[in-house]
Amino acid sequence: KVEFKSIALACSASPRPLPPPLQLLNSKTFQLKQLRREVADLLKADKEDSARIRVEAVLREESLLQAFDILELHLELVGVRATLLEKVETAPEDMVEALSSLVFAAPRLGDDLLPELTVLKQMLARKFGREYAEEACDEATATSKWRVSERLVGLLAVGVPAPEAKAAALAAIAAEFGGVEFDEKAAVEDMRKKGGGGGSGGGGGVGLLAKDPKAAKKKKEEEEKADKAEEEEEEERENLPAPPSG
């Protein structure tokens, strides 16, 4: 029997309703402030290329904090309905997004930041099936079949932030700390000339990616449609009668 009550009990012990723990959020918030100050210092020192690289870490932390907010709401729902989840055989209709989002986030956050998510994913896999857990983790089926929000997928996606996102973040930091002149438009143009990432090195970012999730989904659908059409044409060619032998 899957004991969802254990999740609820773990949540009630936290100052917040559910994980992520308050200590983790405080740490991430403090780290974000430090990163923003470091970027501001680089801009003041006229080291914009270095600031462009460092700001990717700022975007990553901001995306993680936004993802934590989403996951906290989903975890709260699990805690409130722990008893119900023990009794049902299929996921309640109004809990599919919450449960699937938690499963989706587990391999992306659980090992390093939120081990509770890994435990919860295992519980849900035993409850609703291994195939469900695998599909909810897979970007190809997470949103289309199991209703994981595209926003969460984008926030947890790993890649290089778009020049516009980096320039906007740099402009915001320059305005926040003052004493720095920053031309956002010129920075975007320069980063595009240098290959999108801007600066002399890359870096993984989370969320705010150059690839829009909706555009990526549309592109994937178009590719699948083209593949299907090609398969149908190939099948038609195979079914054509063989030419008469000489």
Side-chain angles (χ1 to χ4, degrees):
K1 182 180 180 181
V2 179
E3 291 290 342
F4 286 97
K5 286 184 179 179
S6 62
I7 296 294
L9 290 174
C11 296
S12 63
S14 172
R16 298 171 72 90
L18 290 152
L22 184 61
Q23 296 91 333
L24 175 60
L25 289 179
N26 284 342
S27 173
K28 285 293 179 184
T29 301
F30 177 77
Q31 185 177 358
L32 178 59
K33 289 180 180 179
Q34 289 293 102
L35 286 170
R36 292 178 70 87
R37 185 172 295 279
E38 289 175 15
V39 172
D41 290 340
L42 288 171
L43 290 174
K44 289 178 182 179
D46 198 25
K47 297 180 179 180
E48 187 173 323
D49 278 355
S50 296
R52 292 176 185 177
I53 296 171
R54 195 64 176 152
V55 81
E56 293 186 8
V58 172
L59 292 171
R60 180 179 188 279
E61 293 303 313
E62 289 178 344
S63 293
L64 281 176
L65 287 173
Q66 292 177 50
F68 287 166
D69 286 339
I70 295 173
L71 295 173
E72 183 184 9
L73 292 174
H74 294 330
L75 283 165
E76 184 174 3
L77 182 61
V78 172
V80 170
R81 297 194 182 176
T83 302
L84 173 64
L85 284 174
E86 290 179 2
K87 297 177 180 178
V88 298
E89 295 183 359
T90 59
E93 186 71 15
D94 61 347
M95 292 188 70
V96 171
E97 179 182 345
L99 296 175
S100 301
S101 296
L102 293 169
V103 171
F104 179 84
R108 293 162 175 83
L109 297 175
D111 292 341
D112 298 326
L113 297 175
L114 294 172
E116 298 93 342
L117 286 181
T118 300
V119 176
L120 181 57
K121 178 195 169 187
Q122 294 169 350
M123 295 168 67
L124 291 170
R126 290 197 299 269
K127 179 70 176 179
F128 300 123
R130 180 179 174 182
E131 183 179 353
Y132 158 71
E134 290 177 349
E135 290 182 346
C137 284
D138 188 344
E139 289 188 23
T141 49
T143 57
S144 60
K145 187 172 182 179
W146 295 110
R147 306 181 196 172
V148 177
S149 72
E150 291 186 355
R151 175 170 170 73
L152 182 63
V153 172
L155 290 171
L156 296 180
V158 178
V160 179
E164 292 81 1
K166 294 173 66 171
L170 289 168
I173 291 172
E176 177 185 352
F177 288 90
V180 182
E181 290 188 5
F182 181 77
D183 190 331
E184 183 176 347
K185 183 177 180 181
V188 171
E189 293 176 354
D190 186 52
M191 281 189 276
R192 285 176 175 170
K193 289 178 182 178
K194 292 179 178 180
S200 57
V206 175
L208 302 173
L209 303 182
K211 182 171 70 173
D212 180 13
K214 291 185 177 179
K217 182 179 179 182
K218 183 177 180 181
K219 182 179 179 181
K220 181 177 177 60
E221 291 174 349
E222 291 175 349
E223 290 175 349
E224 290 176 348
K225 186 176 180 180
D227 290 342
K228 185 177 180 181
E230 186 175 341
E231 290 175 0
E232 291 176 350
E233 289 178 3
E234 181 66 24
E235 187 176 344
E236 288 178 2
R237 285 195 294 268
E238 291 178 353
N239 291 332
L240 288 175
S245 57

